[in-house]
Amino acid sequence: MGFSPTDNSRAEWVPRQRQDGRRVLVTGSNRGIGYATAAGLAALGAQVVLAGHEGSEAFGEAMDRIVLETGCQRDQLSYMALDLRSLDSVRAFVQAWAQRPPAEHVLHSLINNAGIAGAPGVSPDGFELCFQINYLSMFLLTRLLLPYMQPSSDGAPARIVCVSSSAHVFTLGLPTDEKYLRASGGGFFSLRYGESKLCVNSFVRQLASRLDPATVEVAAVHPGSTASGFWHSFPAWAQRCIASVAQGPDQGARTSLYCATEKGIVSGGYYADCAPAAASFWLGSTAKADLLWQKSCAWTGVSPTKLNAQ
């Protein structure tokens, strides 16, 4: 996420592009920016699949709130369990997706929203938690879902939107050393957070360069400083300070909604405040980006070249 000033010089963008007939998956969507994104897409007519690890009760309550707040139909919404702390959970999620009725296989938009500010420790797969949750599991989820992504009936390309952060600028470059990535990080909002988001931006560029933009478009977004559940692991006094200066989740979801629905986005681009934004100069190292792609494929067990191979 990261802190950044908001550009108030332009009129606020409002989502208007109807999404009827499109199926959208939003990760981390029972609260905060993910919830606001799911609600916004449901209000536009999309079939929205909410995904996360908090459980069916929490997501059931979230879906009930979306119906009350947007007036959408309850059958527009569904929930699937997904825990990005585990690569096996990601694989199980995609297996469950494959078992849906054939009419519900097609995915028109994927919003990779879920993430953490940081936490000490490593994942069950042995990777630092920020790197695993914010990047590596998202990488695998996206790769495994590519075979299901298709343009909508009106010919509009499928969309992949990955939530990044302005914090990706404040790093020392793309991390590729496996020993470093398997060591516990420093905890909340450390350098590891920015590094994980730099990896997200690199992935978006790498993926976009390998996909036909007439079929699938990809974008990274900076949501802006948002008071949401993202900060729930911070001390209460810190959460109060953040809430006093940050925008609300509805505003934080705007750029995700913009890149998910608006025509004419640049595939591989980085967006903030519903407009193209400048990304880190670290992304200019093609060799380092290629190395991260190759290693990420090896770590997750997917082909570096056959994008639609399960």
Side-chain angles (χ1 to χ4, degrees):
M1 190 175 296
F3 281 93
S4 64
T6 299
D7 180 6
N8 294 316
S9 64
R10 296 182 290 108
E12 183 175 326
W13 175 83
V14 177
R16 295 189 177 90
Q17 294 286 341
R18 294 292 301 175
Q19 300 296 297
D20 302 275
R22 288 179 71 91
R23 183 170 295 102
V24 184
L25 170 63
V26 186
T27 66
S29 43
N30 66 312
R31 59 184 176 182
I33 293 173
Y35 172 86
T37 302
L41 291 165
L44 294 170
Q47 297 284 328
V48 184
V49 180
L50 292 82
H53 71 273
E54 282 86 352
S56 58
E57 182 176 351
F59 276 87
E61 292 173 355
M63 290 186 286
D64 289 343
R65 291 201 311 274
I66 290 174
V67 171
L68 287 173
E69 292 172 7
T70 69
C72 75
Q73 298 299 308
R74 183 61 176 78
D75 62 7
Q76 286 179 238
L77 307 173
S78 60
Y79 160 68
M80 292 181 65
L82 172 67
D83 188 345
L84 295 178
R85 292 171 294 190
S86 164
L87 295 177
D88 282 344
S89 176
V90 174
R91 296 184 185 102
F93 176 91
V94 178
Q95 289 172 359
W97 188 276
Q99 293 168 6
R100 291 162 65 94
E104 298 179 10
H105 278 176
V106 174
L107 182 62
H108 301 106
S109 295
L110 168 60
I111 316 298
N112 286 311
N113 166 82
I116 62 169
V122 296
S123 72
D125 300 290
F127 288 96
E128 188 271 328
L129 283 170
C130 245
F131 181 77
Q132 169 107 28
I133 294 171
N134 295 352
Y135 169 69
L136 196 62
S137 288
M138 178 219 67
F139 176 98
L140 179 61
L141 178 67
T142 305
R143 287 294 309 273
L144 293 182
L145 286 174
L146 280 177
Y148 301 100
M149 303 204 70
Q150 296 180 18
S152 56
S153 58
D154 62 0
R159 291 278 175 90
I160 299 171
V161 178
C162 301
V163 175
S164 181
S165 169
S166 63
H168 84 277
V169 173
F170 306 107
T171 68
L172 301 175
L174 284 169
T176 57
D177 179 71
E178 185 168 353
K179 183 177 180 181
Y180 172 74
L181 293 172
R182 288 186 178 277
S184 177
F188 306 115
F189 221 60
S190 66
L191 181 65
R192 298 297 189 100
Y193 174 76
E195 289 173 344
S196 71
K197 294 302 186 179
L198 183 63
C199 291
V200 169
N201 279 41
S202 179
F203 171 64
V204 164
R205 289 191 176 192
Q206 288 281 313
L207 187 61
S209 71
R210 291 167 164 83
L211 293 173
D212 178 359
T215 303
V216 183
E217 296 175 320
V218 195
V221 303
H222 168 53
S225 309
T226 305
S228 70
F230 177 81
W231 310 100
H232 74 279
S233 297
F234 279 54
W237 64 266
Q239 294 185 52
R240 289 193 295 271
C241 289
I242 292 166
S244 69
V245 298
Q247 64 188 356
D250 288 346
Q251 288 71 39
R254 286 303 168 104
T255 305
S256 291
L257 288 170
Y258 177 89
C259 287
T261 65
E262 198 70 15
K263 296 179 180 179
I265 71 163
V266 177
S267 191
Y270 171 61
Y271 287 77
D273 292 324
C274 302
S280 171
F281 74 92
W282 290 115
L283 295 170
S285 173
T286 303
K288 208 66 179 293
D290 287 342
L291 179 60
L292 179 63
W293 175 272
Q294 295 291 333
K295 288 195 169 187
S296 298
C297 290
W299 291 327
T300 57
V302 296
S303 169
T305 56
K306 298 178 181 178
L307 294 187
N308 288 322
Q310 290 271 14

